Amino acid sequence: MLRLLHTADVHLGARHADLGYAAAAQRERQFAAFRASVDLAIAEKVDLFLVAGDLFDSNVQPRRSVERVAAELARLAQAKIRSVLVPGTHDVYDRSSVYRAYSLFAMAGTQPTDDLVTVLTPEHPWVHLASLDAVVHGPVFPTKRAPYSPLRDLAAVQTPAATWKIGLLHAAIAIPGRTDHDEVVITVEEIGVSGLDYLALGHWHSAQVATSKGVTYAYSGAPEPVAVDQDRAGKVLLVTLDEHDGKRQVKVEERVVGRTVFDHLDVDAATLASQPALITRLQSAANPDLVLDVRLIGVRPDGLDLEPAEVEAALKDSFLRIRVRDQSHPALTGGALPPAETITGAFIRNVEGQIADLEASGDEVAAREAEKLRDVLRLGRLLLAGQEVTL
Amino acid sequence: MRISSLALTDVRRYRDQEIELAPGLTIVRGPNESGKSTLQRAIELALTRRATSSAADLDALVPWDGDAEARPAIGLAFTYEDDDGGTHAGRLAKSFRGAKGQVRLELDGTVITDPAKAEEELAALSGVPTEGFFRSTASIRHHELAGLQRDEGALRDRLQASISGADRGTSRAKKKLDRALHELQMRGPKNPGRLKVAEDAVTDAESRLGAGEDLLARLEHDRDALVVARGRRSESETALAERRSMLEKARQAERLGSERSAANERYERYREAVVVRDEIAELERTHPSSTPLPVLRTTVERLRTVITRISTLEQMLEGEVHVSFDVPPEVRWRHLSRWSLVLVVIGIVIAAAAFGLDQAAIVELGTLPILAGGIVAAAGLVLAFVGFWRRRSDRIEKQLRDVEVDRRLRGRSDIELELRQSEAEREDLLGRTGLADPAQAEAMLEAEDKHVTAIEQRRARLSGLIANEALDSLSMRRDTAALEIEQKTAALEALGPIAKEPRARERLEVEVTDAEGTLDRARDDEANARALVEQNPVDAEEVAGLAERLAGWKDELAALRRRDQIYTRTLSEIGNAEQATMQRATRYLERRMVVDIARITEGRYRRVRVDDANLGIEVYSPERVGWVPVTELSQGTLDVVYLAARLGLVRLVTGDRRPPLILDDPFVTLDDARASRALELLRELASDFQVIYLTTSDRYDGLADQVVELAGPVAVDDHEHPEVAPA
């Protein structure tokens, strides 16, 4: 029996342009998720810890990050858990690769001769772990774009005999029309004839498991979601390989290690009485692990004075990150218009006329102008009526 | 729209009151605090306030002495004209209960109870869309006229408010926008506006991010370069090691080569020595003569001598040998000696004579005679010498002759004896050589001589080859040398082509030096490349933070720019609307006001002009012979002018809709004469509008279509006055 923990796409050091002040915190969470997966591996006493690429978001991550990773690998080594990593497409194994600049196994306090920490490279694309009776294949290229499928020559590679053959690969599974420009592509057919017992994949950030002609393959997904709309991220996979009566069985179990949740919320502006009301309403969803993207949509009542930045500031501490975007638009003038001979009447008729023309023309630029003019209309209306508007 | 009756329930002092109003001019008269303002307010609220409104001022309408549940309710009965000129009747009932407020609007049979719809319909009928609009147009309060004279700006502002569509002018709105734009757009370094702050922040963040990205790119590039440098250094090390090993081989080849040459030389020597030695041995074995050469030589020499002697002896025996001598003529020498003597004497005499004569100084002869004498004497000596020599040789000959004679006398038998002895010796000698005859012996000698010479030559050669070495080990040494040659040759073959290349060692020494230089440079390059990488301070996570901050600042800048555009646009659109409106209003006012002002001032002022920038009004003053601002007119006149303007504007802005006009005694300051003239204005107005005039005075009663009298408050405070203390 062989038990392993499969993770990938940690993307340490990733940039989060849309998270603003919470970006640095999210980067820390990404590392925390990695540490949590190591904790899990130790608690579950697995035999092998696999990282299927993109551990680092780029090859130029600081030494500090590499040291922290090495410390985690050292913990695994001390618990006698072997770890095998492959470079991905972000931490690709070119000449400036982080894996060339730093020797992970040395930093983890192990020797090159023992097989506790291994990084597979184009020069050494497989490793035989004798004590586990397993061979791990990790074909990688020294370029970001693969010249051909990494599984192409896998079956022909000569290795010492072993009961278990594991594949560790950072690649996309071919989807015609979607993955045409992807850097590393493999097909389900290739997986089926690879002769592997389990193929640990990385590159896609959502967890999924499948089989092809008896070969089980899986994406572990990112242990901490890296961007919005990755709702199947935040997990690692615990895999058990077993043999009963000559039949091999592969069992894959998902475990959650990530904490951040991304969500979005649309709020109808017409239902809002005031900015404090909005703040109260959003406060009810408060969650320090939540990245909430709030959109105000629909028609905004004239009297609603709203400053998204203030709302964000008020709720900043209740969420990991909250972003409020006002995409509501002020109404056209309701009720009876003041006579055309009044300034207000002239103003409203003039601006509404321009809005109608722009919205009728149908093109995007005109639509944006029309949005602005709606704001102009609302502002002018309120100011001319003598109402208090914060500018 | 004209209101025919007004019903108030629980509106301040009106618990339950109904008031009839005329379609034209209604005067509502009552003392102070009789509730006139409340009526004005009630009509305003009925026409413009939504029934569900929960504004605080509605609460203030609740009667003081009413029960707690009482809420104001206002009802109207009215008539209105439709677009075709037909008249219709309507009823309105509004009950203000906050969110539970209710409205019921009946229009020609149609009933509307939806508060929003009701407001829309009412606004359409009355031409009054909002409360603010009502107050700025159809509803005039007398405090509006207060202080007009002092404040020309106030006059204008109030007039502007009439055409603003609300109850205030545009100046406040424009000021607010200006201020906001100013805050956004200020660009001074000491007090930058929000736009500049954001722009500067974006610029700063962009440049910092750019610098960070540059450093990251540099790090990548430098790492790449380091790997390349490392590779080159490793290659140089390998190349140097390879060159060094080749050099070793070349040196070895050289060594082996010279060793092999030495062995070759030795081999040749020993090989030749062996041959020579064997030749010597062979020659020693094959001496032609059994006698050693020196003995043989001596023997043969003696043989030769003997044979010669024998031959001579035989010859002597064979014939007498006549010995004849030519005896030279006797003593020729004597002849010579005589003559020599003579010559000498003569010579001496001559010389002496000359000398003596010379000495006696008798005759000067010079040296010549002495010389001649000497010569003669010398000749004589020469002759003497020749003679002496002749004598000697003659003597020798004589001796020889004597010997000869002697010999001849000895006799033949000696010769024969000598001959036999010599022959015996010859035989003996021949016997010793073992040869038959002397010719053979000569031949043998010659042969042996040659043989021994050959041996001697070879011995010398051998000595030259091996000096003093022992002869028996020569073969072994030759074979050893041969073996060594083989070994060295095999070793050289094993070294490969380098062994065959001449001057390989020199070439490789140069190449090794070059390779060492290359390795040094490669090591330096690698060290420099490593330093570049290590000195790069960039932290990718910090750069990520910069990128995120930049994104935030960019968002903020975009939002501020949008805001700037909106404020600017709003300001300009308000300005446009204002300008257009003002222009229309001023031309209209000028036309209308001229009539009203002429009437009110009994023709004093017949010309009016209105500034279309700010509604400032000027009249032409005949006394001053020029245009004067109306504020320079008397208070009473000014009030009327203001009203004329105000009312003119009402007509302008309400167009063909006719809201009821409610005036709260705006003529209170006018004297009776002026007041009645002003009221005529109103009468004229009343043909187009319903006019409700609130006043305390009864001087207008005569002009009204209807007069409503309101009773004053009756409650009196019966608290006793405190006694005034005695002084």
Side-chain angles (χ1 to χ4, degrees):
Chain A
M1 176 159 93
L2 185 66
R3 296 180 68 241
L4 44 96
L5 186 139
H6 166 199
T7 184
D9 296 296
V10 187
H11 282 282
L12 293 173
R15 290 189 186 180
H16 303 289
D18 54 336
L19 288 185
Y21 56 83
Q26 180 64 3
R27 278 193 280 276
E28 265 314 300
R29 281 165 172 246
Q30 284 169 258
F31 181 75
F34 182 65
R35 192 177 326 112
S37 56
V38 170
D39 289 338
L40 182 63
I42 294 173
E44 291 281 337
K45 295 194 177 58
V46 301
D47 303 304
L48 187 54
F49 186 92
L50 298 176
V51 183
D54 281 357
L55 172 58
F56 299 100
D57 189 64
S58 71
N59 271 325
V60 285
Q61 292 306 313
R63 168 172 266 271
R64 180 185 68 244
S65 274
V66 184
E67 281 170 355
R68 293 213 287 177
V69 165
E72 295 304 314
L73 296 176
R75 280 208 298 147
L76 287 169
Q78 266 163 20
K80 296 283 181 291
I81 298 173
R82 283 162 174 79
S83 38
V84 181
L85 300 83
V86 281
T89 42
H90 280 248
D91 50 2
V92 69
Y93 197 73
D94 61 16
R95 283 204 292 245
S96 59
S97 172
V98 62
Y99 300 109
R100 276 197 203 256
Y102 300 100
S103 166
L104 271 181
F105 70 78
M107 285 168 87
T110 66
Q111 300 299 320
T113 45
D114 60 41
D115 52 3
L116 282 167
V117 175
T118 311
V119 176
L120 295 176
T121 66
E123 294 90 39
H124 302 105
W126 54 266
V127 64
H128 176 231
L129 303 169
S131 52
L132 301 180
D133 195 16
V135 164
V136 180
H137 286 271
V140 284
F141 298 97
T143 52
K144 191 161 174 153
R145 183 163 286 281
Y148 50 83
S149 160
L151 286 180
R152 189 184 75 174
D153 305 324
L154 185 70
V157 171
Q158 297 284 346
T159 66
T163 305
W164 300 109
K165 278 171 106 154
I166 318 279
L168 188 58
L169 205 49
H170 190 89
I173 296 188
I175 299 175
R178 287 259 309 270
T179 59
D180 294 347
H181 299 292
D182 223 306
E183 292 109 352
V184 190
V185 180
I186 57 176
T187 65
V188 170
E189 291 72 34
E190 281 177 326
I191 296 174
V193 300
S194 62
L196 296 167
D197 297 300
Y198 178 72
L199 176 56
L201 289 167
H203 193 46
W204 287 346
H205 293 176
S206 297
Q208 45 186 282
V209 186
T211 56
S212 168
K213 295 210 186 70
V215 178
T216 307
Y217 61 96
Y219 283 94
S220 65
E224 184 64 68
V226 180
V228 103
D229 287 338
Q230 291 180 359
D231 49 341
R232 302 257 320 128
K235 306 185 178 110
V236 296
L237 300 178
L238 278 180
V239 183
T240 308
L241 299 158
D242 214 346
E243 195 160 8
H244 282 304
D245 307 324
K247 251 186 66 132
R248 294 206 175 177
Q249 266 183 347
V250 178
K251 199 167 68 127
V252 180
E253 197 189 317
E254 287 181 5
R255 292 290 187 94
V256 173
V257 294
R259 284 170 51 206
T260 305
V261 180
F262 285 76
D263 201 1
H264 48 249
L265 180 64
D266 284 344
V267 175
D268 186 356
T271 63
L272 290 174
S274 63
Q275 178 164 301
L278 174 62
I279 290 174
T280 310
R281 175 154 10 155
L282 293 175
Q283 183 74 45
S284 65
N287 178 351
D289 289 329
L290 177 60
V291 172
L292 186 62
D293 189 26
V294 179
R295 264 190 336 158
L296 299 177
I297 56 173
V299 174
R300 189 178 349 133
D302 250 19
L304 181 61
D305 215 1
L306 205 59
E307 180 54 60
E310 283 176 10
V311 177
E312 287 177 0
L315 292 163
K316 185 170 159 166
D317 296 327
S318 308
F319 296 86
L320 177 58
R321 154 88 172 164
I322 182 163
R323 183 166 147 170
V324 178
R325 281 178 296 170
D326 188 357
Q327 292 181 351
S328 66
H329 40 262
L332 292 176
T333 316
L337 294 182
E341 282 74 26
T342 58
I343 297 175
T344 308
F347 171 84
I348 290 172
R349 283 175 179 77
N350 183 14
V351 176
E352 284 190 354
Q354 290 181 56
I355 290 172
D357 286 341
L358 286 169
E359 285 180 350
S361 79
D363 75 72
E364 261 212 55
V365 177
R368 277 201 292 275
E369 266 302 297
E371 271 298 315
K372 280 194 203 146
L373 278 179
R374 278 182 183 253
D375 279 316
V376 167
L377 178 65
R378 169 186 168 267
L379 189 59
R381 239 189 352 238
L382 291 173
L383 284 173
L384 289 172
Q387 291 192 26
E388 277 311 309
V389 187
T390 357
L391 289 181
Chain B
M1 176 196 241
R2 292 169 205 261
I3 301 171
S4 45
S5 71
L6 176 66
L8 300 175
T9 310
D10 285 328
V11 181
R12 294 189 101 184
R13 71 195 307 272
Y14 299 101
R15 301 302 296 282
D16 197 354
Q17 182 95 27
E18 191 157 334
I19 297 169
E20 300 282 325
L21 299 170
L25 175 60
T26 307
I27 303 287
V28 175
R29 181 161 48 78
N32 292 331
E33 286 186 48
S34 52
K36 300 191 293 296
S37 325
T38 308
L39 286 180
Q40 184 174 24
R41 196 92 185 80
I43 295 172
E44 281 173 5
L45 289 172
L47 287 180
T48 60
R49 184 69 69 94
R50 204 184 276 233
T52 48
S53 168
S54 47
D57 57 351
L58 286 172
D59 293 336
L61 289 177
V62 174
W64 308 307
D65 54 351
D67 62 61
E69 293 307 308
R71 288 286 179 279
I74 305 171
L76 294 178
F78 56 89
T79 60
Y80 63 94
E81 277 176 26
D82 63 22
D83 297 329
D84 308 318
T87 309
H88 303 264
R91 294 191 80 79
L92 170 68
K94 270 191 193 170
S95 160
F96 293 100
R97 292 172 182 278
K100 292 202 282 255
Q102 288 173 335
V103 60
R104 187 189 158 84
L105 174 63
E106 270 179 51
L107 292 175
D108 223 16
T110 325
V111 174
I112 299 163
T113 51
D114 174 65
K117 191 91 179 60
E119 289 316 298
E120 257 186 69
E121 287 298 325
L122 279 172
L125 291 179
S126 65
V128 176
T130 64
E131 206 169 313
F133 181 80
F134 201 179
R135 278 208 291 277
S136 68
T137 53
S139 186
I140 301 177
R141 287 176 169 68
H142 66 251
H143 67 74
E144 282 184 43
L145 290 93
L148 284 180
Q149 196 149 38
R150 285 193 304 275
D151 191 346
E152 193 175 345
L155 169 68
R156 290 202 303 266
D157 282 347
R158 292 208 188 119
L159 288 177
Q160 273 179 8
S162 304
I163 54 166
S164 74
D167 59 352
R168 60 193 66 214
T170 54
S171 55
R172 194 147 162 264
K174 291 199 292 187
K175 268 202 206 93
K176 222 168 159 166
L177 282 170
D178 262 331
R179 226 187 355 259
L181 277 169
H182 187 63
E183 261 178 39
L184 275 178
Q185 291 172 354
M186 276 196 296
R187 303 209 70 87
K190 293 231 182 80
N191 220 347
R194 292 183 67 185
L195 268 175
K196 183 157 199 310
V197 166
E199 281 169 3
D200 287 347
V202 165
T203 309
D204 181 60
E206 269 174 349
S207 82
R208 277 202 221 189
L209 178 63
E213 300 274 28
D214 280 347
L215 279 177
L216 285 176
R218 174 98 50 80
L219 180 61
E220 218 178 304
H221 170 267
D222 289 347
R223 275 203 191 150
D224 183 293
L226 175 58
V227 167
V228 168
R230 196 175 287 151
R232 272 205 232 111
R233 192 257 308 150
S234 175
E235 274 170 21
S236 300
E237 277 175 348
T238 312
L240 176 60
E242 194 250 345
R243 289 290 100 188
R244 276 192 179 144
S245 111
M246 289 299 284
L247 177 61
E248 251 326 288
K249 275 194 187 165
R251 282 186 178 142
Q252 214 178 341
E254 226 176 34
R255 223 179 14 250
L256 283 173
S258 63
E259 282 171 6
R260 183 176 69 167
S261 299
N264 216 16
E265 181 266 336
R266 263 204 319 284
Y267 171 77
E268 285 304 318
R269 227 172 6 100
Y270 287 131
R271 186 190 56 77
E272 201 183 336
V274 165
V275 165
V276 166
R277 181 200 62 183
D278 290 350
E279 280 180 357
I280 291 173
E282 182 65 20
L283 283 174
E284 292 284 11
R285 250 183 345 102
T286 56
H287 274 287
S289 152
S290 43
T291 15
L293 181 62
V295 172
L296 182 62
R297 187 191 305 282
T298 316
T299 307
V300 168
E301 275 176 355
R302 280 175 62 189
L303 194 60
R304 256 190 229 134
T305 314
V306 163
I307 289 174
T308 311
R309 207 178 321 128
I310 289 175
S311 162
T312 309
L313 290 173
E314 281 176 347
Q315 265 185 330
M316 279 171 69
L317 285 178
E318 272 173 20
E320 288 289 335
V321 178
H322 291 278
V323 177
S324 64
F325 286 89
D326 286 319
V327 176
E330 186 106 339
V331 297
R332 248 183 66 195
W333 63 275
R334 284 197 196 190
H335 198 55
L336 281 173
S337 69
R338 251 183 241 134
W339 272 106
S340 74
L341 189 66
V342 164
L343 281 175
V344 169
V345 166
I346 295 170
I348 288 173
V349 163
I350 294 170
F355 188 65
L357 284 171
D358 201 41
Q359 283 292 325
I362 303 168
V363 170
E364 179 97 9
L365 295 172
T367 55
L368 187 58
I370 298 172
L371 205 59
I375 287 170
V376 171
L381 286 173
V382 167
L383 277 175
F385 184 71
V386 170
F388 178 70
W389 190 256
R390 270 271 162 86
R391 187 183 164 196
R392 189 165 169 268
S393 65
D394 282 351
R395 193 178 288 155
I396 288 171
E397 270 186 57
K398 192 182 176 230
Q399 275 177 359
L400 279 178
R401 208 171 57 221
D402 288 344
V403 165
E404 192 47 43
V405 170
D406 191 31
R407 195 163 63 82
R408 282 203 193 138
L409 291 176
R410 254 192 315 144
R412 219 176 143 89
S413 57
D414 287 336
I415 295 171
E416 280 178 358
L417 181 68
E418 208 176 324
L419 182 64
R420 273 199 297 278
Q421 280 176 340
S422 300
E423 281 175 348
E425 198 177 339
R426 187 187 67 184
E427 291 313 315
D428 174 42
L429 287 170
L430 276 176
R432 275 203 230 150
T433 63
L435 291 166
D437 60 52
Q440 275 192 14
E442 287 290 344
M444 173 71 72
L445 175 65
E446 201 180 320
E448 184 69 15
D449 195 29
K450 271 203 192 127
H451 199 91
V452 169
T453 306
I455 290 179
E456 289 298 314
Q457 274 179 344
R458 276 160 182 69
R459 282 233 167 85
R461 181 94 195 96
L462 191 63
S463 171
L465 287 173
I466 63 171
N468 300 326
E469 289 178 57
L471 290 176
D472 48 356
S473 59
L474 281 181
S475 310
M476 188 196 74
R477 267 186 246 143
R478 177 202 59 190
D479 293 339
T480 308
L483 186 62
E484 201 178 321
I485 290 171
E486 240 182 75
Q487 284 169 341
K488 302 292 183 220
T489 303
L492 278 169
E493 280 299 313
L495 286 176
I498 197 83
K500 297 197 180 62
E501 189 192 318
R503 308 192 69 76
R505 178 186 57 85
E506 288 88 340
R507 168 177 74 84
L508 283 164
E509 274 174 351
V510 168
E511 283 181 8
V512 163
T513 311
D514 284 346
E516 279 170 346
T518 306
L519 176 61
D520 277 340
R521 281 192 298 281
R523 283 209 175 114
D524 281 344
D525 286 345
E526 191 193 1
N528 288 340
R530 185 172 301 116
L532 275 179
V533 168
E534 281 167 7
Q535 281 160 15
N536 194 324
V538 71
D539 182 323
E541 290 188 353
E542 270 177 30
V543 178
L546 290 174
E548 285 138 12
R549 268 204 291 290
L550 175 63
W553 274 115
K554 275 187 168 163
D555 280 347
E556 167 127 4
L557 181 61
L560 286 173
R561 282 197 173 135
R562 187 169 191 275
R563 205 184 278 196
D564 184 59
Q565 284 165 2
I566 288 171
Y567 293 170
T568 305
R569 189 63 179 272
T570 307
L571 194 55
S572 88
E573 290 295 344
I574 290 178
N576 291 344
E578 200 175 33
Q579 207 174 18
T581 308
M582 292 282 251
Q583 275 177 353
R584 275 203 303 277
T586 47
R587 299 291 88 79
Y588 182 87
L589 270 183
E590 280 169 356
R591 280 199 311 275
R592 277 219 66 88
M593 278 174 63
V594 130
V595 173
D596 293 337
I597 286 174
R599 175 158 346 134
I600 293 167
T601 59
E602 288 163 338
R604 282 266 295 293
Y605 304 111
R606 291 187 190 270
R607 281 186 266 181
V608 175
R609 70 178 181 200
V610 184
D611 185 333
D612 55 13
N614 55 22
L615 285 182
I617 305 173
E618 286 177 333
V619 292
Y620 187 84
S621 163
E623 292 114 17
R624 310 242 205 114
V625 195
W627 292 92
V628 308
V630 288
T631 43
E632 289 185 22
L633 305 178
S634 70
Q635 174 78 37
T637 313
L638 177 59
D639 293 350
V640 178
V641 167
Y642 171 74
L643 268 172
R646 185 82 155 68
L647 294 170
L649 288 175
V650 171
R651 281 184 190 278
L652 174 64
V653 300
T654 54
D656 54 357
R657 293 271 170 269
R658 305 283 154 78
L661 302 183
I662 310 167
L663 287 69
D664 186 354
D665 213 352
F667 302 149
V668 68
T669 57
L670 296 179
D671 60 36
D672 286 347
R674 281 268 166 98
S676 69
R677 271 203 289 283
L679 209 46
E680 275 172 38
L681 235 170
L682 283 180
R683 266 229 65 90
E684 206 187 302
L685 203 57
S687 56
D688 292 328
F689 290 81
Q690 176 182 31
V691 179
I692 302 164
Y693 194 91
L694 308 171
T695 180
T696 51
S697 161
D698 60 2
R699 63 183 172 178
Y700 310 106
D701 285 6
L703 290 167
D705 295 324
Q706 170 135 356
V707 176
V708 173
E709 266 187 75
L710 297 175
V714 290
V716 159
D717 183 6
D718 49 8
H719 177 84
E720 283 195 6
H721 282 284
E723 287 198 6
V724 178

